[in-house]
Amino acid sequence: LLEAMDSNFVSSVGAFVGKFEDAVAAYTGSPHAVAAVNGTAALHIAMLLAGVRAEEEVITQPVSFIATCNAISYCGARAVFVDVDRDTMGMSPEKLADYLARNSLKKADGCCYNNKTGRRFAAIVPMHTFGHPCRIDAIVEIADRYGIPVVEDAAESVGSLYKGRHTGLFGAYGALS
């Protein structure tokens, strides 16, 4: 930090950004890490990479920080809320499975759609609330059955492990802050 300050090279590019990304990847056990300006931007980027587009739906949880829904909104998508578990305060796999069983339709294109609105379910975004990992393995398994990518909101869980792995590494993309 002192070297960065002394060199007047405090920026969004340069050697220190690469060092930071490498350190985050090493700390979490991820093969790669990309720095963003904040957690909201990281979630927005992750959702775009997952293929979220305008007028689609993203399943998330009601107990969250506003950044989760802001990132969905920045994509032009709509948030759909599935309840949380009491013990983790994260998305309930049972509620997710029940919701998808009642409200989804898989079409010939291989995508999963809301049978009431006709919109594609573009992603599922669980959050690890206050650093407490949700039951992410069960959520990913359900999402895989329906062909919906998982973007983990792991912004509040830097340093949190679930079954020996750092949060943010279970879904298609993970965002830490």
Side-chain angles (χ1 to χ4, degrees):
L1 179 64
L2 290 175
E3 185 181 343
M5 299 296 288
D6 290 343
S7 70
N8 287 323
F9 205 97
V10 181
S11 177
S12 59
V13 296
F16 293 107
V17 175
K19 287 180 183 180
F20 174 73
E21 291 171 338
D22 291 345
V24 169
Y27 178 75
T28 62
S30 177
H32 307 284
V34 177
V37 68
N38 57 44
T40 307
L43 280 169
H44 184 203
I45 292 164
M47 285 188 220
L48 291 173
L49 289 171
V52 177
R53 296 182 304 267
E55 298 307 316
E56 295 182 323
E57 294 183 359
V58 175
I59 300 170
T60 192
Q61 61 189 60
V63 177
S64 185
F65 182 67
I66 191 65
T68 312
C69 286
N70 282 346
I72 293 167
S73 178
Y74 296 159
C75 293
R78 297 168 188 243
V80 174
F81 297 103
V82 170
D83 209 354
V84 298
D85 283 332
R86 265 181 184 222
D87 58 339
T88 68
M89 294 183 289
M91 184 180 288
S92 166
E94 290 80 16
K95 298 291 185 180
L96 174 63
D98 180 60
Y99 178 82
L100 287 169
R102 289 183 293 108
N103 296 288
S104 69
L105 170 68
K106 204 154 195 178
K107 292 191 178 179
D109 63 3
C111 295
C112 190
Y113 292 82
N114 185 319
N115 61 17
K116 292 182 176 70
T117 66
R119 293 186 191 98
R120 182 175 83 101
F121 288 119
I124 297 171
V125 183
M127 185 181 104
H128 302 290
T129 310
F130 303 130
H132 301 289
C134 62
R135 291 184 292 141
I136 190 64
D137 54 348
I139 292 167
V140 169
E141 189 270 321
I142 294 162
D144 287 348
R145 280 196 317 245
Y146 287 88
I148 306 170
V150 172
V151 174
E152 280 179 81
D153 184 345
E156 293 186 0
S157 63
V158 173
S160 296
L161 302 179
Y162 181 74
K163 296 186 177 180
R165 288 177 62 197
H166 199 285
T167 54
L169 301 180
F170 291 84
Y173 301 96
L176 296 127
S177 178

